[in-house]
Structures are given as C-alpha cells and as structure tokens.
C-alpha cells in the first residue's frame, strides 16, 4: 500500500496523497541529511536508557541511568527520548532497511507494551498526572508520532498499542479541562493522527474536537489581519503564552476541517497562516514567534529580530520546531489544494533553510536557526527540536512526490528513485539533479508496458522566467513560475522529461527592529536557498558591513571552486548557502552604509 486512501472517511477529500513507501534518495544534499539523521540516533542514544521509565513502570528494576540533562525533559516529560528515537527510526525504515535501527525500534515498542496498563494507558507515569504539566498534549503527541512511525515501518504491535491508548483518551476523566492547561493547543493534532490510519474511528475526531477546539481563538484568525492575536492569547483562566508551536494546532484544525467540512475551520487556518506569513516569518522561511519573547522581549507584528540580543535582552527566534510544524501544515494544504505552488515553496524553504540548516552532521541538531554572528549550540543532545527534527529527517523522501491513482506530482527536486505503483502496474521514475545547487532536472521513466498517466511538474515561484519542459528532447510544455505543468499521455518505457529551473540571486531589503540609523541591511536568496555572508566583523556598530549598494551585490561576486560560494570583492568575506554555515562567524543580514 503505497499510500493510505482515507478519502472515504472525509467530507473534504484530499486531491493527492503522500507516499508512505517506495522512494529512495540517491545521494545529494537531502540524501546526506537523511543518512546523518539515522547516524545521529544510532550514535547518541542507548536503548536501556531510553526505556528506563517504561521498564521501571513495568517493574523490571532497570540498572541503566535515565536521560536527565535537565528538569524539563526526562526529568519531567518521561519517555521523550524513546519517542524521539521512534520518530526517526520508524520513518527512516519506511525507505530503507537498517537491522540495528529496527532492532532498537522494536525493543522500545516492546518496552512500551510491557508497561501498558489493562485499560490502554501507556505513558510511563501515574494516570493521575496525565492532566498536569504537558502530558495531555506534548508527550502524548510525541508518542503518537513515534508509534505511528513504528507501525508504518512494519512493527505489528505499535498500532494496536496506540489504538488502545486512544480509546483510553476518548474516555479520559480529564477531558473537560485539558484545553486550559500548558501548551494545550499542541494536543489538537493528536487524535486526527490515528484517525487517518486503518485503525481510526469517528469518535477520535468527535472527542478530539470536543476536548481541544478553541472557538474564541479560531474567530480571531477568521477576521484576518490578526497579527496581534499571534503574539497574545487571551482566554479565561490562566493565559498560556503565545508560542510558535501553536502552528501545530492549525495542522490539527485543518484535519478537523477535512473531517467535519465546517468552513469556519478552513477560514481560521488560512487566516492564521496568512497572519504568520505577513508578520512573523523571516526571509528564508524561519518563524520569528517563540515563547521566550512573551515575558522578556515582547514581539510585535513585523519586528523580525535577527540579533541575538536587542536592547540588552535575549532575542530568540527561528526555532526548528516551529518551522517543522509550518512544513507539516503546508504539506496538508498541498494535498488539499495541489494547484497552489506556494504551499510547496513553504515546505521547500522550511526544509533547506531551517530543518537542514540546523543539522550539524550526525553530531547535533540545533534548536535555533540563528541568522547572525554564530549558529546555536546546546550542551545536551536531545530537546524538542532534536525530536521534531528527527521526525522530518527520517521522513525526507515523502516530500518529493505526491500521487493519486494515475497522477504523479513532482514537487521538490532531489536525486532519487520512485517505484510508483499505478493502476496499470509499476513504473520507475529516476530523477537526476544537483538541485538546489543547479536547476537542471531530468526524469527517466521505466516500465514493463505503456501507461496512461499524468505527470505534474512543479515550476517554482522563484524561477526567473518561463521554461520549456522537454519530452525526449522536444518541447512539450512551457512552465510558468509559480505553477504546475501537467503532461497527460501514454508513457513508454525510456521516456525522458528534462527542464532547467533558472535561478538568480535576489536581494531583500530588511525591515524590522534591528535596523541601524545610517545603514541599510539586506538578506539574499538564491532560488529557495537563504544565503549568508561569512567573515569576521569589520564594523563596530553593525558587525559585517559591505561596500556599495545592497541591491546590486551580485556585481561584486566572484565564483569560487565550490557551488554557490562567491567571494565578495576584496572584503575577505564569502557569500554561501546558509545551510552550509557551521562554526564560522557570519550574518544573513549584511549592512551597507547609506550614501
């Protein structure tokens, strides 16, 4: 089953589906990131320590030490590292086998099963604690993500465990109050996750809506122009602080829309999305909103800090979790509205400029995608962004294509091979490209017999001009930037599609609270990639200042022997993709003195 067709369970059907299997990355940027994700969890996590709290609950008297880097994670949110591993391992095993990864995944699921209670409760805590701290939402959704990934990787125990846990949740005595507890908005997405599986039941959606829906909040975003509502949550009782992870809630609300068909749910999701995009998103896709601003440095619409401090106060932003949730929200939107290319662009820039950029080989996963001075480092290996990042790393092949019946959409370009199970038989699609470093893409189809199929080719919004799409060397369509080209035909084995996405350096004038009098700051993108200027600070007031006019930086660039690496005149600085920056000093916002 290459994808699960859940449309018969929905009032608003998806037009395309995400493949669950059948895609292999063949090296390239995303291939390296995928392998680093596997290596990261294999190198850094021990199965006995991950299972400590489950084993203790099962009465096994574990001798290993639990992971407790601080009081927040395993000290307070027990079982998080086990869920982290399941999210990476289960998703990665969908695309390629790894015996060591599978053995550890299965051992974790066994440990969870051994600790499960007769009524279906599976978290490694006392049930009386479920309605406190973040267990109804945060920890529950991580475990849901992890067990679903293990199920899709072939573990037969994972889905029954999750089904019994969901049955327990559906009659949980804490349901009347959990929407008022800490970060409750994250819980909206949990019940739909299991509903969109073979084990889903209608009560999952009904009770999930009853327990979590915040109609007062939805109405704020239906009104549009609700940027102020992003930063401030006003509800009865104790007010939870605003947080970028609320994006995850709107992924859940979109699922509720697909099930219930109520237009207000879609209108709220789109209003929320538009408000974030207008006032809470950096160039390159990073999300500015994060909880620490609420008390220490309140954000206002359009503030877009990029310094690590502002007026002497910490200025944190671009949390990997927020961008991962943004990516998932747009994946949902893409399946509903596949003709809207901008949704895939949001997935793409979130991937390259935050998710990929925050992976430091197989050594660490960064928390923040800082855009100035230096990238972030934490003294411990796991945290929320390591978990949500691992989930994305293991899932990377699923973002390249979407499909339904005899239609294939080619969405994000990467060297890969798709084994496509069509109604007429199996077709192999081989994609050859060096994207995003080069815009040339070639697709080769192989099959045992002719197939009547439709290929949809994405023409990204950043393409600088219309481009020809060649079929076996002959122009078959002209692609317009920000659209899809559809090519329906009877495909023969050996047919080849080829096109080149023209890209260029684009300057974006900076507007935000980190402007400096007498200077103008710019950021730069090349296609989907956010670019960075690497080099030592040369201006005491702004850090890195460059000569000339920021809008014409391209004229000062000189190619080097590395793709998309340019020396900038005789300044001793280099322009390069932000995702390649590691430990060197840099900025994504060089300043230019006003003339």
């Amino acid at each position: 089953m290459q994808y699960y067709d859940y449309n018969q369970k929905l009032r608003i059907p998806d037009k395309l589906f995400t493949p669950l299997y059948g895609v292999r990355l063949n090296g390239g940027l995303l291939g390296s990131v995928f392998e680093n994700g596997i290596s990261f969890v294999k190198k850094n996590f021990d199965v006995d320590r991950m299972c400590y709290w489950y084993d203790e609950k099962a009465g096994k008297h574990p001798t290993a030490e639990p992971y407790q880097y601080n009081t927040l994670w395993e000290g307070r949110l027990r079982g998080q590292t086990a869920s982290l591993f399941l999210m990476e391992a289960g998703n990665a095993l969908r695309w390629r086998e790894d015996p060591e990864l599978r053995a550890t995944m299965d051992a974790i699921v066994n440990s969870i099963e051994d600790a499960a209670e007769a009524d279906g409760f599976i978290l490694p805590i006392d049930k009386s604690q479920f309605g406190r701290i973040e267990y109804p939402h945060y920890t529950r959704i991580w475990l849901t993500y992890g067990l679903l990934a293990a199920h899709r990787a072939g573990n037969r125990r994972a889905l029954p465990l999750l089904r019994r846990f969901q049955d327990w949740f559906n009659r949980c005595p804490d349901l009347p109050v959990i929407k008022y507890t800490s970060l409750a908005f994250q819980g909206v997405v949990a019940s739909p996750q299991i509903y969109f599986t073979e084990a889903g039941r209608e009560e999952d959606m009904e009770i999930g809506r009853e327990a979590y829906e915040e109609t007062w909040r939805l109405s704020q975003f239906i009104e549009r122009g609700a940027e102020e509502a992003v930063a401030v949550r006003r509800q009865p009782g104790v007010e939870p602080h605003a947080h970028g992870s609320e994006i995850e809630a709107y992924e859940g609300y979109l699922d509720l829309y697909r099930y219930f068909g109520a237009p207000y749910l879609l209108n709220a999701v789109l209003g929320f999305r538009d408000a974030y995009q207008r006032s809470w998103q950096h160039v390159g896709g990073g999300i500015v909103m994060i909880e620490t601003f609420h008390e220490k440095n309140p954000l206002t619409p359009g503030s877009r800090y990029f310094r690590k401090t502002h007026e002497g106060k910490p200025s944190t932003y671009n949390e990997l979790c927020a961008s991962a949730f943004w990516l998932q929200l747009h994946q949902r939107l893409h399946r509903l509205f596949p003709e809207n290319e901008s949704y895939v662009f949001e997935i793409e820039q979130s991937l390259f400029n935050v998710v990929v950029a925050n992976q430091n080989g197989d050594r660490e996963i960064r928390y923040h995608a800082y855009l100035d001075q230096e990238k972030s480092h934490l003294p411990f290996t796991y945290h929320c962004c390591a978990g949500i990042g691992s989930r994305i790393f293991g899932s990377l092949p699923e973002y390249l294509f979407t499909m339904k019946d005899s239609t294939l959409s080619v969405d994000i370009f990467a060297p890969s091979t798709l084994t496509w199970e069509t109604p007429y038989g199996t077709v192999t699609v081989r994609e050859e490209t060096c994207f995003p470093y080069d815009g040339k893409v070639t697709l080769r189809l192989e099959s045992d017999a002719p197939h009547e199929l439709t290929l949809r080719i994405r023409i990204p919004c950043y393409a600088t001009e219309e481009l020809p799409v060649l079929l076996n060397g002959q122009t078959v369509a002209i692609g317009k930037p920000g659209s899809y080209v559809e090519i329906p035909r009877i495909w023969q084995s050996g047919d080849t599609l080829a096109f080149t996405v023209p890209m260029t350096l684009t300057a974006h004038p900076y507007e935000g609270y980190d402007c400096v009098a007498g200077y103008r700051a710019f950021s730069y993108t090349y296609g989907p990639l956010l670019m960075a200027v690497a080099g030592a600070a040369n201006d005491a007031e702004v850090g890195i200042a460059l000569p000339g006019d920021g809008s014409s930086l391209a004229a000062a660039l000189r190619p080097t022997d590395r793709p998309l690496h340019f020396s900038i005149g005789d300044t001793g600085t280099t322009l390069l993709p932000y995702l390649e920056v590691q430990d060197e000093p840099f900025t994504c916002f060089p300043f230019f003195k006003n003339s």
Side-chain angles (χ1 to χ4, degrees), residues 334 338-339 341 344 409-411 456-458 483-486:
H334 171 58
E339 67 281 357
E341 184 273 339
V344 179
S409 183
V410 182
D411 301 316
R456 302 177 70 250
I457 308 298
R458 173 179 167 240
S483 70
Y484 277 80
V485 166
E486 293 196 0

Side-chain angles (χ1 to χ4, degrees), residues 291-299 310-316:
E291 79 238 54
T292 55
F293 276 109
H294 183 68
E295 296 177 354
K296 299 177 182 177
N297 209 10
L299 277 173
H310 182 83
E311 297 180 351
K313 298 179 181 179
S315 158
T316 49

Side-chain angles (χ1 to χ4, degrees), residues 48-66:
D48 292 330
R49 297 186 70 185
M50 287 188 288
C51 294
Y52 178 89
W53 296 112
Y54 290 102
D55 290 345
E56 183 186 67
K57 184 175 180 179
K60 296 181 181 179
H61 307 295
T63 58
E65 290 292 324

Side-chain angles (χ1 to χ4, degrees), residues 22 42-43 70 93 113 116 121 134 159 175 217 262 283 285 298 304 309 401 408 425 450 507 542 590:
K42 288 168 67 173
K43 283 176 55 176
N70 57 37
L93 287 166
E113 184 176 50
F121 187 77
E134 298 173 24
L159 189 59
L175 288 180
R217 188 66 165 152
V283 172
R304 292 194 176 91
T309 59
F401 305 97
L408 177 69
V542 298

Side-chain angles (χ1 to χ4, degrees), residues 26 28 413-416 431-442:
N26 300 326
F413 311 125
S416 57
E431 184 171 350
E432 300 168 3
T433 183
C434 293
F435 201 87
Y437 293 95
D438 185 278
K440 183 177 180 181
V441 180
T442 301

Side-chain angles (χ1 to χ4, degrees), residues 60-73:
K60 296 181 181 179
H61 307 295
T63 58
E65 290 292 324
Y67 285 107
Q68 285 185 303
Y69 289 124
N70 57 37
T71 57
L72 174 61
W73 292 101

